[in-house]
Amino acid sequence: MFYGSIPAVITPFSNNEVDYNSFEKVISFLIEKGSNGLVPCGTTGESPTLSHDEHERTIELCIKEATGKLPIIAGTVSNSTEEAVSLTKHAEKAGADGALVVTPYYNKPTQAGLYSHFMSVADAAKVPLIVYDIPGRSIIPVNDETLVRLCENHELISGIKDATADISR
């Protein structure tokens, strides 16, 4: 379902507010240039700085603009499991094809805690999830054993966005 170039979409701001007109232009540009999917509200999309309303509206707008053209993997990133579940459910309802779920930043959970976080979101989800492993921001990596356990124990955990800079991985 997901392949090729799937860029994270920036969230432009103007006068301390999301600039939705510019956001639509960014989406159109990325579609015109041949993207194979889009990721609104990932960490590149400034999701930690968006209000819940802005987050939801940004995902909804991206889905509206891209419907029938390419899949949307909504960033449902949060260091709170409950919030990640809520954002994932909203993205599904809005029509997202998948969700990008990040390693909880700031909290520094154990591998068991990471497993529990991702499994909780997956158990509540109805769309494929991409595990976002970004130890440069979250301080802790998702180790390979944890990834294997996640993939073996939940059919919706479908991929990884690996930002570890470990080429051998």
Side-chain angles (χ1 to χ4, degrees):
M1 165 179 246
F2 306 124
Y3 66 92
S5 175
I6 305 175
V9 182
I10 64 163
T11 306
F13 289 82
S14 179
N15 298 317
N16 295 319
E17 295 181 352
V18 176
D19 182 345
Y20 293 106
N21 290 329
S22 293
F23 183 68
E24 288 178 12
K25 291 175 186 175
V26 170
I27 293 166
S28 294
F29 174 82
L30 292 169
I31 292 170
E32 287 171 19
K33 295 302 176 184
S35 297
N36 301 105
L38 299 174
V39 181
C41 295
T43 53
T44 300
E46 297 77 41
S47 61
T49 64
L50 298 175
S51 71
H52 286 172
D53 288 341
E54 290 170 328
H55 191 116
E56 291 176 356
R57 183 172 175 202
T58 300
I59 287 173
E60 290 166 2
L61 182 57
C62 188
I63 291 167
K64 178 183 167 225
E65 294 297 312
T67 295
K69 299 173 187 160
L70 43 78
I72 301 301
I73 303 170
T76 59
V77 301
S78 177
N79 64 336
S80 160
T81 302
E82 183 177 323
E83 187 173 86
V85 166
S86 176
L87 291 169
T88 301
K89 286 182 176 183
H90 171 266
E92 292 170 350
K93 185 176 179 184
D97 301 289
L100 179 70
V101 182
V102 73
T103 304
Y105 42 88
Y106 188 72
N107 301 351
K108 298 194 289 185
T110 63
Q111 292 300 308
L114 291 175
Y115 179 83
S116 178
H117 173 77
F118 289 116
M119 288 296 286
S120 293
V121 178
D123 285 342
K126 295 179 181 142
V127 295
L129 302 183
I130 307 296
V131 172
Y132 187 8
D133 186 12
I134 183 166
R137 296 286 184 249
S138 63
I139 309 303
I140 185 164
V142 180
N143 70 31
D144 293 343
E145 294 78 18
T146 301
L147 285 171
V148 169
R149 268 184 73 209
L150 288 165
C151 292
E152 287 178 344
N153 292 304
H154 211 294
E155 64 187 18
L156 288 179
I157 297 179
S158 303
I160 182 169
K161 178 177 179 182
D162 186 323
T164 63
D166 181 356
I167 299 297
S168 65
R169 189 174 190 206

